[in-house]
Amino acid sequence: MHLLLFNIIDQIRSLGWGGAFELLRNGIVLGSLYSLIALGYTMIYGILKLLNFAHGDVYMVGAFLGFGVLTAFGGALNPGIGLVPLIIIMFAVAMLGSGVLGVGIERFAYRPLRNAPRIAPLIAALGVSFFLENSAQLMTNGFQYNYDAFQLGGKNGNFGPLFDPVFTVAGNPVTVVQVLVVGSAVTLMAALIFLVSRTRLGKAMRATAFDQEAASMMGIDTDRVISSTFFIASVLAGAAGVMYGLYIGTTFYFMGFLAGLKAFTAAVVGGIGSIVGAMVAGVLVGLIESYAIGYVGGQWSDIVVFGILILFMIVRPTGLFGAQAIQKV
Amino acid sequence: MSEAPGTPGVTPPPGDPTESRIGVDSWVAQAEGRRARRRGPARLLARGWEWSPDPVKLLLFVGLASTLPFWLNEGDLFNFGLFTLLYVALALGLNVVVGFAGLLDLGYVAFFGIGAYTYALLSSSHYGIHWPAEATIPISMAVAALAGLILGSASRRLLGDYLAIVTLFFLQAFAAFTNTANPTVHGVGLTGGPNGIANLDPLTFFGYKLNSTKQQYFFLVIVVAVVAAALHFINQSRTGRAFRALREDPLAAEVMSIPVNRLKLLAFVLGAAIAGLCGTIFAASFTAVTAGSFGVPLLILLYAIIILGGLGSIAGVILGGFVINISSQFLAPQNDHPDVKRWLFYGTIVLIVALMKPWYRAVLVLAATIAFGYAVHAIVSATTVATWTTGAPVAAGSRSIRDGIQGWVVMPHATATGPHVNFNTCLYIGLVVAAVTVRSLSGWWRLAALVPTLYLTAMVWENILAQNPSVTALILFGAMLIALMTVRPQGLLGTARVEIV
């Protein structure tokens, strides 16, 4: 333990300010992915009080849909169309496909269990997650597939523009794809906030989350609102999947599990049901993970992240932005 | 809620549908009882089961289980006998936490792993410690129980879903610790990383070694019987009733001066100790522990067992363990009875269809499916190139079976690559869409849609699933969990509960 602490201090010293910034940058990019997934968890939990274990796997499906589009257009080496339309099509297909998948999951796995005991939908969610993961394993033969995004848009085997630096801070480049990931995440989140706070659908969602029975008495079609919530949540997860593919590159059938777990924690840390909380906490979880990898070492990072999260959940189960829950009897 | 909390020891007999139990609305219980009234041999069986006293049931299990070694060879006894009993014992422990106390514990497998690693460290050449089993089993159980106590006390404040997520973190942290962290102690990696620890000693009680599979199997029969009996007594006791009260409504239980927090801890500790015991036996009979054995797939398997059997029912858990493990072993890639696999699959489907009422609909659907298959096969072989229908079914034992399947199911030849990969993917997604369509239709439309869906199922089985047996079992379990939750959430032997709002 003593030794470990000295190792960490040494590591901090040797990496210096430049290394600290590099970890900050990685953490923010990773965290914006977590934020997008966490938003889905927080919305679904807010409206159904259901821990949707399958949400991480929707993200995985999104990543594979993006990869499917990329392959259909000829792969990263020589896509048949330009870089910008290709990326737009990838996002569009992945987001739509994931959205439809999310609606289907809700319709066929969770809706029949609306009035079942609390444990039933949770176990159904475990089943859906397991089903999706292993189906993906079957479809992809259990292999890892790589987007090879660094070659996207490059001519004659040269590297493409995605990993060119946009600007440099303390000797560390910030690349196009990093700006793209953070930028599109912020755009999507802004759109979501607008949707929830300013539109009729958003109002209906907030009402349903507050009290489903009362909302349906006020003439809100709660089934449709819940379907829309699943659609929006899954669209965000699908977008995050493509971003992951472009930024990190490797997609495989099991990627949704850990990412989903961390994102769910982000949703809890942010205070379940709070949209701003999920965004902030997602970035926070990304930062913790990034610094744990940098300072403690890759093999300990998951233990450190989960340890911190377990402690946080025990000390403050309502999260950063959550209100104290009052149990009604 | 007819039972007053001040009358200990006066529990209505289980299985009597006119008397309501804790958490069972009396009207619903009666309705269930009326519905459960069957005719013919099924009724006789159900009656006999309900009326036979509990020791008889236990003896029935021990007697049946003891005959197994006499008609199975060594390898089959290991896969079908030993592992079934191991999973039954594990599921009994999980049933304490989930079924009795109603706490959703997703970190349960970690306790199993802790028990296994404790045994591996204390009885192997890893550190050169070779303690006998009479010392290592209590130690393993104590270590696992201590871990359960720590996790339980940490999770005491957390409600429902939060508890689930914290326990799942615990499992992940455990997996990361054994697999990647592997800290160096005394010059050796503590957990051996992904390779684990090999060459463990067999269980040794006071100098008597349990070397053969048969010996280990009989030891496990005793363990399962003792654990089941102990849990039965706990379930019938004051503590058991307190568990049920906690499960149904923690707040009301607390108001009735039931020590809710202590009960939660007790459930965690009890479950963890049983898991630790199972871990020891697993490590000893497998003679190795690897980090990969203690993951989410095992967790899902255990949940499938306790949910299929019925949450909270001990007999149900034992039945569920047998059904799930035997089917999963038949589906496993190393299984050397490949034809049984096929009969099991088609038999289950025919059985599900045969449950349809009235009976002539089932016959109609089955006949239509067979005719539909021949029609599709004829059309495909007439319009496309020959490679589309010349694929060989996996492991078809006799020639007639092979020819029968080849003549009915459209199977592209395996050597023809390219479009066939996408063909498989489309087929699979098509099946999922078709199943979902069948569910959302009703009446005659549903029957009509069922016919191509069944044929598609056979196609998917022959083309994809039979070729990837290890994934197939997992997919089927996932699908089973979803289907069971919608159709019969109380499982085979459980009691239906209504949420009292």
Side-chain angles (χ1 to χ4, degrees):
Chain A
M1 205 62 227
H2 185 73
L3 218 75
L4 192 71
L5 211 62
F6 274 111
N7 277 343
I8 293 174
I9 292 171
D10 274 358
Q11 193 68 8
I12 293 176
R13 277 217 190 104
S14 70
L15 284 177
W17 285 110
F21 175 76
E22 196 184 343
L23 295 175
L24 179 74
R25 178 200 70 191
N26 293 349
I28 288 177
V29 180
L30 194 64
S32 45
L33 294 183
Y34 287 151
S35 292
L36 280 181
I37 311 172
L39 282 172
Y41 274 113
T42 214
M43 287 165 74
I44 291 171
Y45 196 95
I47 208 157
L48 272 190
K49 305 286 172 290
L50 165 71
L51 172 45
N52 184 12
F53 281 107
H55 196 64
D57 300 299
V58 173
Y59 155 79
M60 176 267 299
V61 170
F64 270 116
L65 284 175
F67 182 75
V69 171
L70 188 63
T71 331
F73 279 106
L77 262 177
N78 51 358
I81 50 173
L83 181 63
V84 176
L86 177 64
I87 289 182
I88 289 176
I89 294 177
M90 276 162 71
F91 270 109
V93 169
M95 286 161 83
L96 258 181
S98 308
V100 171
L101 177 68
V103 172
I105 291 173
E106 191 273 327
R107 174 69 184 75
F108 291 101
Y110 302 152
R111 192 176 292 179
L113 304 176
R114 251 337 118 62
N115 296 319
R118 289 278 285 131
I119 206 165
L122 265 177
I123 289 164
L126 271 181
V128 173
S129 161
F130 208 58
F131 181 77
L132 284 180
E133 252 164 45
N134 288 296
S135 299
Q137 186 183 2
L138 194 70
M139 302 288 96
T140 61
N141 297 320
F143 294 142
Q144 298 196 345
Y145 293 88
N146 214 312
Y147 271 56
D148 290 328
F150 55 88
Q151 288 176 324
L152 255 183
K155 295 272 184 306
N156 308 326
N158 292 327
F159 285 175
L162 273 183
F163 282 72
D164 288 347
V166 179
F167 54 88
T168 311
V169 180
N172 285 294
V174 176
T175 58
V176 175
V177 68
Q178 286 166 338
V179 172
L180 176 77
V181 167
V182 176
S184 39
V186 168
T187 315
L188 284 172
M189 290 180 206
L192 181 72
I193 290 184
F194 175 79
L195 183 101
V196 171
S197 60
R198 291 293 156 85
T199 61
R200 268 179 79 87
L201 178 63
K203 211 175 192 176
M205 276 161 69
R206 278 178 288 146
T208 311
F210 190 75
D211 189 334
Q212 198 175 323
E213 214 169 321
S216 69
M217 281 176 200
M218 295 295 137
I220 295 172
D221 184 352
T222 47
D223 275 347
R224 235 194 68 212
V225 172
I226 291 171
S227 277
S228 320
T229 309
F230 267 82
F231 183 77
I232 295 163
S234 308
V235 159
L236 295 179
V242 176
M243 289 178 198
Y244 179 88
L246 289 175
Y247 174 52
I248 312 262
T250 334
T251 52
F252 64 109
Y253 67 92
F254 205 59
M255 64 186 267
F257 180 72
L258 268 187
L261 208 54
K262 285 174 189 158
F264 178 74
T265 331
V268 174
V269 168
I272 207 94
S274 154
I275 287 178
V276 180
M279 296 175 187
V280 174
V283 175
L284 204 66
V285 170
L287 286 174
I288 293 175
E289 186 174 340
S290 168
Y291 279 106
I293 290 174
Y295 289 149
V296 194
Q299 76 271 35
W300 286 97
S301 70
D302 270 355
I303 299 178
V304 170
V305 172
F306 287 131
I308 291 176
L309 295 178
I310 290 177
L311 279 183
F312 188 92
M313 300 257 270
I314 292 164
V315 174
R316 199 179 155 79
T318 51
L320 290 173
F321 294 83
Q324 185 73 46
I326 301 166
Q327 237 192 341
K328 274 180 285 184
V329 187
Chain B
M1 293 256 181
S2 66
E3 193 180 277
T7 52
V10 196
T11 37
D16 184 355
T18 54
E19 198 71 41
S20 70
R21 273 153 283 166
I22 291 179
V24 181
D25 188 274
S26 58
W27 186 84
V28 175
Q30 276 172 19
E32 280 288 318
R34 272 203 298 277
R35 211 177 303 156
R37 229 167 267 164
R38 294 186 190 85
R39 293 200 203 118
R43 179 187 181 209
L44 214 65
L45 205 67
R47 270 283 182 83
W49 178 254
E50 269 170 25
W51 283 7
S52 60
D54 297 320
V56 175
K57 292 179 190 170
L58 190 68
L59 276 179
L60 189 73
F61 160 71
V62 172
L64 283 180
S66 304
T67 60
L68 222 53
F70 299 107
W71 49 277
L72 286 180
N73 63 30
E74 192 90 332
D76 278 350
L77 186 66
F78 191 76
N79 285 332
F80 292 103
L82 204 69
F83 267 80
T84 302
L85 287 190
L86 195 67
Y87 286 151
V88 164
L90 263 177
L92 282 174
L94 182 61
N95 191 33
V96 174
V97 192
V98 186
F100 288 5
L103 304 165
L104 196 64
D105 176 8
L106 299 181
Y108 181 74
V109 178
F111 302 126
F112 178 53
I114 288 172
Y117 272 102
T118 311
Y119 180 79
L121 292 176
L122 292 180
S123 300
S124 73
S125 313
H126 197 66
Y127 284 117
I129 309 172
H130 294 278
W131 285 3
E134 67 264 18
T136 46
I137 286 185
I139 292 175
S140 298
M141 288 176 73
V143 170
L146 189 69
L149 187 71
I150 292 169
L151 183 65
S153 60
S155 336
R156 217 175 41 185
R157 302 172 35 144
L158 300 171
L159 297 168
D161 308 338
Y162 292 80
L163 179 68
I165 207 79
V166 165
T167 50
L168 193 54
F169 284 160
F170 180 70
L171 177 61
Q172 283 308 311
F174 175 76
F177 180 80
T178 52
N179 202 1
T180 53
N182 190 16
T184 307
V185 181
H186 285 285
V188 192
L190 184 68
T191 59
N195 295 330
I197 303 171
N199 292 330
L200 310 184
D201 303 340
L203 287 173
T204 313
F205 288 99
F206 305 103
Y208 181 72
K209 275 191 182 169
L210 301 182
N211 266 326
S212 72
T213 308
K214 226 173 242 183
Q215 286 166 324
Q216 289 157 358
Y217 177 79
F218 279 116
F219 177 63
L220 248 177
V221 171
I222 298 169
V223 166
V224 170
V226 169
V227 167
L231 291 182
H232 175 78
F233 285 127
I234 290 176
N235 199 17
Q236 299 282 310
S237 71
R238 214 167 95 103
T239 319
R241 258 177 298 126
F243 272 141
R244 283 195 288 282
L246 166 68
R247 177 183 73 195
E248 298 305 335
D249 193 337
L251 197 66
E254 200 160 7
V255 175
M256 297 295 172
S257 80
I258 290 172
V260 170
N261 280 336
R262 256 195 290 158
L263 274 175
K264 285 183 185 172
L265 277 185
L266 183 68
F268 261 100
V269 168
L270 209 59
I274 295 174
L277 173 66
C278 294
T280 319
I281 300 171
F282 169 75
S285 46
F286 209 62
T287 67
V289 282
T290 48
S293 317
F294 314 107
V296 179
L298 178 61
L299 187 75
I300 300 281
L301 194 79
L302 292 179
Y303 267 92
I305 289 173
I306 61 169
I307 282 158
L308 182 72
L311 279 177
S313 151
I314 292 173
V317 168
I318 294 178
L319 182 70
F322 272 85
V323 172
I324 293 281
N325 183 54
I326 289 176
S327 51
S328 93
Q329 289 295 342
F330 266 119
L331 290 167
Q334 71 270 17
N335 163 34
D336 48 356
H337 310 283
D339 243 2
V340 183
K341 212 182 279 192
R342 180 168 282 123
W343 294 129
L344 205 67
F345 185 78
Y346 287 122
T348 313
I349 287 180
V350 170
L351 203 70
I352 291 173
V353 173
L355 286 178
M356 214 174 348
K357 276 172 196 159
W359 59 271
Y360 56 83
R361 283 195 183 188
V363 176
L364 198 67
V365 166
L366 286 178
T369 307
I370 292 170
F372 183 79
Y374 281 119
V376 168
H377 192 274
I379 292 171
V380 169
S381 58
T383 51
T384 57
V385 282
T387 48
W388 278 89
T389 47
T390 52
V394 167
S398 68
R399 212 186 140 68
S400 60
I401 294 173
R402 206 188 64 207
D403 290 350
I405 288 168
Q406 234 174 21
W408 185 60
V409 180
V410 173
M411 282 188 77
H413 198 263
T415 53
T417 49
H420 291 159
V421 178
N422 290 334
F423 169 76
N424 280 354
T425 309
C426 294
L427 205 62
Y428 187 78
I429 293 171
L431 174 64
V432 173
V433 170
V436 158
T437 315
V438 166
R439 219 183 117 47
S440 54
L441 292 174
S442 61
W444 287 101
W445 285 111
R446 172 179 271 189
L447 282 190
L450 199 57
V451 172
T453 308
L454 284 177
Y455 182 65
L456 213 55
T457 313
M459 259 169 91
V460 166
W461 169 260
E462 295 295 348
N463 278 306
I464 310 172
L465 296 182
Q467 327 253 358
N468 300 282
S470 54
V471 188
T472 303
L474 303 179
I475 291 181
L476 291 181
F477 286 143
M480 194 205 79
L481 277 187
I482 307 169
L484 205 64
M485 277 300 115
T486 34
V487 179
R488 194 179 157 89
Q490 73 269 34
L492 292 177
L493 295 184
T495 348
R497 299 213 303 269
V498 274
E499 201 87 326
I500 298 161
V501 186

